[in-house]
Every structure is written in structure tokens, then in C-alpha cells.
């Protein structure tokens, strides 16, 4: 039995995760150190936990005296150095380039705020949206090329570009010029043979100081404090090195990274001596008022008994080397010694990363030996500590309520007065996306590195068919197939696809080309005239004051005032069911616009067919009418008029100032949260809070 009061000073905390564990430890250390002349310390072999606790202590203004120090590679000057070398020597990674441009110490001899503003302009113009691999050495040229593209009438100019001023564009040019000059010594070594480590280090230091030079011309920020001193000593040693080691420029990032990773920056002078972070060795030699044993999980305390890969146990025994299990015995000794402290806090996290953790064997034996009641009391004190710690965390579950499902209701004057036919499905399924795009005028950023995918393939095939239709080639002519392939090859060449993508897409189109000619002959033989990319002028929808416009992929004029509307699709979405039920009303609305004479060059026509032309990956071309579902046909004119009436009712709904733009009113699937504006609507948060989401293929959005 445990003597009464023997464990009164022992607290056991089973935190649900690593963040809660670190926060609770920080609060316990702060409380203990608040007493006059009191000292507190954390003992752990888990460096990740030590870094978390140090960060949490900073919120209380406490700089812990960490005996292990901080890895040099995690300090700002070393980060600038490694990012610089990575960006220069290994072109093609836009993330490395962007991280370097936004590094806090990058000044290039200019005001830092000026460089930071220019970095955002450079990111938007030169790094986002392209399909090529960026190179920091040619970033200035890429910037000018993209500016020229945006000025071209053939390229759709993004709205964010129209908001950029001439001063911002020119400021980015100045920064890019300074960047090119700063990195020139290291860029000159690319593609060269292996060089001596001192030579390549001198070029690296020159570029490093050029990059970090302040507006006054000094480099003091690069070498400030203990981190700067340590980095300066390392670089000084490399520059004067007499080693015969030769390094290929492409290998220099790895070599430099390994050299930097081996260095540690010890705590700066002025750390709080009342709060310390120790390893097991330091803890054996010192005593404090509160000792925290953190990270008490198997694999951390004790560590794993790794025999190593060089010598077997028998070989180690023959050389009189200690077996790996000796470390476990030493850990047991350290734990027993720690339990002699006046007050002790034992902590662990129930989860390590994404996986559950196993309590340390010392914890298991302790709780098994002391009995159920003392163990419960120890855990109770730990629960009280965790509850108190969470009051400091603004994003703790106890302090933060789930966000409400957004449904902003702007004034009627701010609401959009024009839609395209492709936006109506979005208005029905996710009204909040329309609010963000057309009212807040927010456009999603293009990815940093975009390999051509399904969207680009669809656009390319659309362009080929558009040009083929405009060329007026008769599908029954003997040269129809060669001319189609010639048009396609010209479009492929203009797209400048990566070789691996072209090697897949071009054979697929060559396989599809005869099917396209056969489809034209068999299904479109009675067509009098073909119009590609027909534009519909804005047409008012009923009495709503809102206009609708758009563009049809293709309209085929037939006898007796009839016309077919076709929409090319390289994927399976939307389905025929969704289009027939008017959840995806693009085709039917184009039919309604056609009957109202919105397509200026055609006049008023009666829609006869509304169909998707599916361009299958197998090369098949399938015309899929949306007029029949479950063997129940409908007239195209009737479906078009019904879609028009539904649209008018939908627009009347949003003409009421009390009705807002609800997030995800009718999504395809409940689990999909990858919409362009889902993060802005905080979908994951409000859906986790219990707000329901309607899903389905048909019906209205419930407005």
C-alpha cells in the first residue's frame, strides 16, 4: 500500500494530443516559476515536444533555457542560405523560389517592405498559372513574357491583373533585376564541372550577402545574435577550407544542408533561468522545485533499443561494448531519480501525430503498483491542469464555437445583374460561390505548378473541333481526316505540352479523329449550317432585371427553322440525368436563348435537339441526348421553356433582400470540400458543427 500523502506532489496528465500536452506543460512551468526564487524544468528526450513547449512559453513572455539549443538550420539566416542554394541549383520548383522570395531576411539592397510587396506581384504574374518549370535565373524574362501574354487579345486577362497598378509592375521589375544581379555568381556555376568546396562556398557567400544586404548596404541582419555568429563561423571555415573535396553544383544543396544540420545554436544570454529544458543527463545533476517528465511514451522514454546495423550483439559483447538494453536501464534509473523531486508532473500524449501512442512502461508500472485510488487522484490533478491550460488557447474547443453556415445577404444594389449559362448551376448548387465570385470579386489563385490535366485536355479538344467546324470542311470529302489531323497538330504545337503529356494525348486524338468524321457523316448528315462557339447576347430573364448570356459550343441549323445545340464533353459530368432534371441547365438554357433570338447571327430558331457529344478516352464519340430519361421523351422546346421558368423563379428568390447566398445548397456529394470557395465559407467547420447538407441529382436547392 502507498503511504498516505506520498504521491500528493505527483500529477499525471494524459493529454489527448501533443499540442495540449505542450500547452499544459507550459502553464505548469509558468505557475511554478512565478514563486520567488523558484525553479522549474522540463526533462524530455522528445525534441519536438521541447520545441512546442518553448513556443507555448513565449506566449507568457518566457524564454526557456534550453540546454540542447536550436538547430542552426531552423534559424532565419540559415533558412535564407539553404533556400537560396536550393532555388538556384535545382530549378523547376516554384515552392522553393517563392519561399526564398518571401523569406524575411531577403532585402537585395532595398527596403524589405518593398521586396515583400514585389514578391506578391512576381508570384501572381511569373509563378502562378504556367505549365512550365520556373527557373530563378530566368525569372525576370518569364515575368516579361507573362506580361506580354496578358496584354495579348488571345489570352484571357485575370481580374486581379486589372487591379495591379503600373507602379507595382515596375517595382517588381526593379526587384527582379536586383535578384538577377545578386545571384549571378552562383548561377554562373550551374552546369559546370565539380568545383572545390572553397570556390563554391565563396560564390555562395557572395550571393547570400547580396540577397540579405539591407537598404543601407550592411549585412548585419544576417549575422546578428548567436545564430548569426554560428553561421558566420561555419561559412568562414568553408571559404578558407583546404580540403580537396570537389562538389558538383547540383550536389551542393545536399552538402551544404548536411553541414548546416550538424550545427546547433545554444540559448542566447538572457534566457529565463527559472525555467529550463533539459535532457536526462542534466536532470541527474540538478534539482528544481517542479520537475516535468514529458513525452512519457514508449519509443521516447525509454527510447527504442536499437542495436545498430554495423555490429551484432555477439560482436559488441566481444568488444566489451554495452548492449542497447543498457539505455533502457539508464532510463529507468533517470525516472526513479526524477520521482524524488518535491513536485513532479508526468505527461504523455494519447496520440503521436495521426497514430495512437503507448504509455511508457514506467508509467504503467507506477499506476499498477500504487493502486486505483492514488492513480485516479493523480489523473484528476492532471485534468484540472489541462482545463486551466485550455483557457489560454483561443482555439481550444472550450473557447471556440463552430462557425455558422454562411448565408450572406448583401443589398440588392450589390447583387449581380448578369449571369452566363454556365453559372446558373453554380447558383443553384452553391450560391455562396456566386457571392464570393461576383459580389466579393474574389478569383481563386492558379496553382504554382500545373501539369496539364483534364481541364486543359478538354479546352484543347474544344479548340480543335471549333477550328475544324469554322474551316467549313465537308466531312464526306476525301481529305477531311487529314485536314482535321493537320488542324489538331497545329493546336497541339501551339499548346506546347510537355513531351510526356503530348505522347499520351496525341495518339488518343489520332484514334478519335476517324470517329469524329464518322459521327459527322452518320449523325449530322442533315445539317445545313454549322456554327461553332456561338455567342448569345445578354437577354433579360422575365421581369427580374437580370440578364443571361453565354456561348454554345456548336449549333447545327436544320430545315424548317430547327436547330440542334451540342456541347462537347471530355468527361462524364454533368450526367444526362442532371441535365434532364435541370439541375445542370446549361444546354436547356441555351435552347431558351436560341428560341428568343439571343444568338444574333441566327435569329430566333426552335431547338430540336439538346445533346452532349462525349469524347471518350477510348476514342469513341457518343452523341448523348438529354431529352429522354427512363424512356420518357420530352421536346427540346418544352425543356428549354421549363428551365427558363425555373431560372426566373430562382432569380426572383434572390431579388428578395432577406434571402442570402447559402453555402453548398445542393452539392454533388456531401464529402466534397474542394470547391474554390469552400475554405472561405469554412465548410469543414460548420459541417462538423452538425449543420446538414442536402445532396442529390435533382430537385431545387431548398431556397
Amino acid at each position: 500500500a502507498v503511504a498516505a500523502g506520498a504521491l500528493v506532489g505527483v500529477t499525471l496528465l494524459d493529454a489527448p494530443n501533443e499540442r495540449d500536452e505542450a500547452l499544459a506543460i507550459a502553464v505548469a512551468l509558468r505557475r511554478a516559476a512565478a514563486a520567488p526564487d523558484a525553479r522549474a524544468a522540463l526533462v524530455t528526450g522528445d525534441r519536438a515536444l521541447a520545441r512546442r513547449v518553448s513556443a507555448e512559453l513565449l506566449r507568457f513572455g518566457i524564454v526557456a533555457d534550453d540546454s540542447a539549443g536550436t538547430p542552426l538550420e531552423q534559424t532565419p539566416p540559415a533558412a535564407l542560405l539553404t533556400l537560396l542554394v536550393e532555388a538556384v541549383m535545382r530549378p523547376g520548383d516554384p515552392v522553393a523560389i517563392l519561399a526564398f522570395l518571401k523569406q524575411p531576411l531577403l532585402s537585395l539592397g532595398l527596403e524589405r517592405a518593398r521586396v515583400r510587396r514585389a514578391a506578391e506581384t512576381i508570384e501572381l504574374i511569373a509563378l502562378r498559372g504556367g505549365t512550365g518549370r520556373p527557373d530563378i535565373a530566368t525569372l525576370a524574362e518569364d515575368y516579361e513574357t507573362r506580361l506580354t501574354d496578358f496584354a495579348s487579345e488571345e489570352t484571357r486577362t485575370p481580374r486581379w491583373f486589372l487591379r495591379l497598378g503600373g507602379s507595382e509592375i515596375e517595382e517588381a521589375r526593379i526587384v527582379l533585376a536586383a535578384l538577377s544581379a545578386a545571384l549571378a555568381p552562383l548561377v554562373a556555376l550551374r552546369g559546370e564541372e565539380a568545383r572545390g568546396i572553397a570556390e563554391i562556398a565563396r560564390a555562395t557567400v557572395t550571393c547570400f550577402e547580396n540577397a540579405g544586404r539591407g537598404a543601407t548596404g550592411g549585412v548585419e541582419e544576417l549575422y546578428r545574435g548567436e545564430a548569426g555568429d554560428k553561421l558566420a563561423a561555419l561559412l568562414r571555415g568553408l571559404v578558407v577550407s583546404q580540403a580537396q573535396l570537389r562538389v558538383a553544383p547540383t550536389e551542393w544543396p545536399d552538402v551544404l544542408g548536411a553541414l548546416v544540420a550538424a550545427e546547433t545554436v545554444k540559448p542566447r544570454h538572457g534566457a529565463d533561468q527559472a525555467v529550463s529544458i533539459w535532457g536526462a543527463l542534466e536532470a541527474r545533476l540538478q534539482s528544481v522545485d517542479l520537475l516535468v517528465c514529458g513525452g512519457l511514451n514508449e519509443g521516447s522514454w525509454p527510447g527504442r533499443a536499437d542495436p545498430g546495423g554495423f555490429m551484432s550483439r555477439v560482436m559488441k559483447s566481444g568488444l566489451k561494448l554495452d548492449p542497447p538494453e543498457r539505455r533502457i536501464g539508464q532510463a529507468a534509473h533517470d525516472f526513479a531519480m526524477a520521482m524524488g523531486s518535491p513536485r513532479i508532473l508526468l505527461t504523455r500524449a494519447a496520440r503521436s501525430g495521426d497514430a495512437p501512442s503507448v504509455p511508457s512502461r514506467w508509467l504503467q508500472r507506477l499506476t499498477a503498483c500504487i493502486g486505483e485510488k492514488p492513480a485516479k487522484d493523480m489523473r484528476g490533478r492532471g485534468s484540472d491542469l489541462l482545463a486551466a491550460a485550455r483557457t489560454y488557447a483561443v482555439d481550444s474547443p472550450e473557447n471556440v464555437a463552430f462557425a455558422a453556415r454562411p448565408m450572406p445577404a448583401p443589398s440588392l444594389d450589390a447583387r449581380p445583374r448578369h449571369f452566363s449559362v454556365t453559372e446558373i448551376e453554380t447558383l443553384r448548387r452553391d450560391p455562396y460561390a456566386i457571392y464570393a465570385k461576383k459580389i466579393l470579386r474574389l478569383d481563386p489563385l492558379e496553382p504554382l505548378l500545373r501539369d496539364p490535366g483534364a481541364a486543359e485536355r478538354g479546352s484543347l479538344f474544344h479548340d480543335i473541333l471549333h477550328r475544324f467546324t469554322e474551316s467549313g470542311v465537308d466531312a464526306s470529302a476525301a481529305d477531311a481526316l487529314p485536314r482535321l489531323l493537320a488542324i489538331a497538330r497545329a493546336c497541339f504545337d501551339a499548346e506546347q505540352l510537355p513531351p510526356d503529356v503530348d505522347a499520351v494525348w496525341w495518339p488518343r486524338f489520332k484514334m478519335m479523329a476517324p470517329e469524329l468524321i464518322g459521327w459527322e457523316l452518320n449523325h449530322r448528315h442533315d445539317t445545313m449550317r454549322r456554327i461553332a462557339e456561338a455567342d448569345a447576347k445578354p437577354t433579360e430573364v422575365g421581369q427580374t432585371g437580370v440578364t443571361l448570356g453565354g456561348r454554345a459550343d456548336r449549333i447545327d441549323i436544320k430545315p424548317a427553322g430547327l436547330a440542334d445545340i451540342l456541347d462537347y464533353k471530355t468527361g462524364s459530368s454533368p450526367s444526362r440525368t442532371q441535365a434532364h432534371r435541370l439541375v445542370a441547365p446549361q444546354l436547356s438554357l441555351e435552347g431558351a436563348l436560341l428560341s428568343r433570338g439571343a444568338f444574333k447571327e441566327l435569329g430566333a430558331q426552335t431547338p430540336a435537339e439538346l445533346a452532349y457529344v462525349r469524347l471518350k478516352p477510348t476514342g469513341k464519340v457518343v452523341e448523348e441526348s438529354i431529352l429522354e430519361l427512363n424512356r420518357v421523351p420530352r421536346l427540346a422546346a418544352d425543356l428549354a421553356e421549363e428551365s427558363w421558368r425555373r431560372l426566373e423563379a430562382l432569380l426572383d428568390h434572390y431579388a428578395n433582400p432577406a434571402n442570402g447566398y447559402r453555402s453548398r445548397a445542393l452539392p454533388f456529394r456531401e464529402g466534397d470540400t474542394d470547391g474554390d470557395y469552400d475554405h472561405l465559407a469554412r465548410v469543414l467547420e460548420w459541417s462538423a458543427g452538425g449543420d446538414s447538407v442536402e445532396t442529390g441529382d435533382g430537385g431545387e436547392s431548398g431556397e
Side-chain angles (χ1 to χ4, degrees):
V2 178
L7 297 173
V8 171
V10 181
T11 300
L12 176 57
L13 171 63
D14 284 308
N17 54 60
E18 295 163 310
R19 186 177 184 276
D20 281 347
E21 180 187 14
L23 179 60
I25 292 173
V27 170
L29 293 173
R30 174 178 180 262
R31 286 178 172 180
D37 300 324
R39 296 183 64 207
L42 164 65
V43 182
T44 181
D46 185 348
R47 290 306 305 163
L49 174 62
R51 287 193 293 270
R52 290 191 187 95
V53 172
S54 295
E56 295 291 350
L57 284 170
L58 289 176
R59 80 164 70 202
F60 305 123
I62 298 174
V63 180
D65 185 3
D66 189 348
S67 63
T70 303
L72 178 61
E73 61 185 347
Q74 296 178 7
T75 62
L80 176 66
L81 177 66
T82 54
L83 285 171
L84 182 153
V85 173
E86 186 74 25
V88 172
M89 292 304 187
R90 290 180 178 165
D93 183 1
V95 176
I97 295 175
L98 188 56
F100 174 64
L101 290 175
K102 294 187 176 182
Q103 218 281 341
L105 292 179
L106 181 68
S107 296
L108 299 168
L110 306 169
E111 293 291 339
R112 171 59 201 158
R114 186 180 180 187
V115 175
R116 184 63 179 82
R117 288 193 303 269
E120 296 183 0
T121 305
I122 296 167
E123 173 188 355
L124 290 172
I125 294 177
L127 293 176
R128 289 194 176 271
T131 57
R133 301 283 176 170
D135 185 348
I136 198 167
T138 61
L139 199 57
E141 291 83 352
D142 296 342
Y143 179 83
E144 297 298 335
T145 300
R146 292 296 299 278
L147 283 177
T148 304
D149 291 342
F150 287 145
S152 171
E153 295 182 357
E154 298 180 359
T155 304
R156 185 186 70 84
T157 304
R159 286 192 297 189
W160 57 258
F161 181 76
L162 301 176
R163 300 179 190 136
L164 289 178
S167 60
E168 294 171 294
I169 293 175
E170 188 59 35
E171 190 169 71
R173 283 196 178 102
I174 295 172
V175 170
L176 284 171
L179 181 68
S180 298
L183 303 183
L186 207 53
V187 170
L189 296 180
R190 291 196 329 195
E192 299 289 336
E193 297 179 353
R195 300 297 182 96
I197 195 168
E199 180 183 356
I200 198 169
R202 280 193 291 272
T204 300
V205 171
T206 301
C207 294
F208 175 59
E209 294 185 348
N210 289 342
R213 196 174 304 281
T216 60
V219 294
E220 59 275 2
E221 289 298 324
L222 297 179
Y223 302 119
R224 187 184 299 278
E226 282 79 1
D229 291 341
K230 178 67 73 172
L231 183 61
L234 173 65
L235 295 177
R236 194 180 302 116
L238 293 176
V239 168
V240 300
S241 173
Q242 299 298 318
Q244 299 303 309
L245 176 66
R246 298 181 67 82
V247 179
T250 55
E251 298 173 350
W252 179 234
D254 292 331
V255 173
L256 183 62
L259 293 171
V260 172
E263 300 293 335
T264 301
V265 181
K266 292 299 181 181
R268 67 174 59 236
H269 300 299
D272 196 320
Q273 299 301 311
V275 177
S276 304
I277 299 177
W278 295 333
L281 177 61
E282 295 90 349
R284 295 173 206 158
L285 307 175
Q286 304 179 75
S287 61
V288 290
D289 299 286
L290 172 67
L291 188 66
V292 180
C293 294
L296 284 167
N297 285 325
E298 286 293 310
S300 175
W301 196 340
R304 293 180 176 84
D306 184 9
F310 294 100
M311 288 187 290
S312 67
R313 293 179 181 271
V314 175
M315 294 170 66
K316 286 186 175 183
S317 176
L319 294 173
K320 307 298 183 182
L321 296 177
D322 292 332
E325 287 77 13
R326 186 182 185 281
R327 297 177 184 174
I328 296 178
Q330 186 64 61
H333 174 75
D334 294 335
F335 184 78
M337 292 285 289
M339 291 299 293
S341 299
R343 292 168 52 211
I344 185 165
L345 170 61
L346 310 175
T347 73
R348 64 173 294 266
R351 296 188 69 82
S352 177
D354 295 329
S357 60
V358 178
S360 168
R361 63 192 70 181
W362 319 137
L363 274 186
Q364 296 184 50
R365 292 177 185 178
L366 175 65
T367 54
C369 290
I370 64 177
E372 184 176 343
K373 178 65 168 61
K376 182 178 180 181
D377 293 340
M378 288 163 49
R379 286 194 171 94
R381 290 189 287 272
S383 298
D384 294 340
L385 173 62
L386 181 58
R390 281 177 169 170
T391 61
Y392 293 98
V394 295
D395 56 351
S396 171
E398 287 79 3
N399 302 331
V400 178
F402 285 108
R405 188 176 187 175
M407 191 166 64
S411 65
L412 293 181
D413 292 341
R415 301 194 179 197
R417 312 305 299 171
H418 174 75
F419 291 95
S420 69
V421 290
T422 57
E423 292 172 332
I424 300 305
E425 181 179 0
T426 305
L427 180 63
R428 189 179 302 280
R429 288 192 176 277
D430 190 8
Y432 185 88
I434 293 294
Y435 165 78
K437 177 181 178 181
K438 300 184 77 69
I439 299 176
L440 298 183
R441 299 180 63 81
L442 298 175
D443 291 327
L445 284 176
E446 295 189 67
L448 281 173
L449 186 60
R450 185 190 66 200
D451 289 327
E456 287 73 25
R457 185 179 71 249
S459 298
L460 175 60
F461 285 14
H462 273 67
D463 189 30
I464 293 170
L465 296 179
H466 165 60
R467 295 190 185 190
F468 180 69
T469 302
E470 277 195 331
S471 68
V473 177
D474 187 352
S476 61
D479 63 343
L481 180 58
R483 292 183 64 179
L484 172 59
L485 290 174
I487 291 172
R489 189 62 258 176
C491 291
F492 268 78
D493 292 341
E495 196 70 17
Q496 295 183 341
L497 296 171
D500 56 329
V501 176
D502 189 279
V504 175
W505 289 6
W506 176 244
R508 179 181 297 182
F509 188 85
K510 286 180 66 177
M511 182 172 55
M512 183 186 298
E515 295 284 338
L516 284 167
I517 299 298
W519 168 74
E520 288 279 3
L521 292 173
N522 297 327
H523 294 269
R524 303 281 101 201
H525 55 83
D526 56 346
T527 298
M528 299 169 54
R529 180 184 172 199
R530 300 175 177 85
I531 298 95
E533 301 289 343
D535 289 317
K537 66 181 180 181
T539 303
E540 185 173 353
V541 182
Q543 303 300 315
T544 62
V546 180
T547 58
L548 180 72
R551 175 179 294 176
D553 283 353
R554 174 168 160 178
I555 298 178
D556 285 4
I557 304 301
K558 308 182 81 171
L562 300 177
D564 295 344
I565 300 179
L566 307 175
D567 192 6
Y568 299 119
K569 294 294 180 184
T570 54
S572 59
S573 181
S575 68
R576 178 173 58 181
T577 300
Q578 292 165 350
H580 184 86
R581 292 177 175 173
L582 301 180
V583 178
Q586 177 182 345
L587 269 177
S588 53
L589 288 175
E590 289 173 358
L593 289 171
L594 178 67
S595 64
R596 286 163 173 77
F599 294 95
K600 293 176 289 186
E601 55 184 306
L602 301 180
Q605 301 278 343
T606 301
E609 178 65 277
L610 306 174
Y612 294 128
V613 180
R614 305 279 186 188
L615 309 178
K616 302 284 188 177
T618 59
K620 297 293 184 183
V621 178
V622 179
E623 183 175 322
E624 189 177 84
S625 174
I626 70 167
L627 299 180
E628 182 176 331
L629 183 65
N630 297 328
R631 299 183 180 180
V632 178
R634 294 191 63 178
L635 293 176
D638 292 344
L639 193 64
E641 290 307 309
E642 182 180 347
S643 70
W644 194 262
R645 289 193 299 272
R646 288 197 185 188
L647 175 59
E648 189 172 352
L650 186 64
L651 296 178
D652 282 337
H653 170 82
Y654 288 107
N656 185 341
N659 294 329
Y661 294 83
R662 192 181 192 190
S663 174
R664 292 169 58 83
L666 190 68
F668 281 110
R669 287 175 293 275
E670 183 175 354
D672 287 346
T673 57
D674 56 354
D676 289 334
Y677 304 100
D678 283 350
H679 64 294
L680 186 66
R682 299 169 72 175
V683 170
L684 288 175
E685 186 174 337
W686 60 253
S687 58
D691 204 344
S692 61
V693 180
E694 299 174 12
T695 60
D697 284 335
E700 297 296 332
S701 60
E703 293 123 354

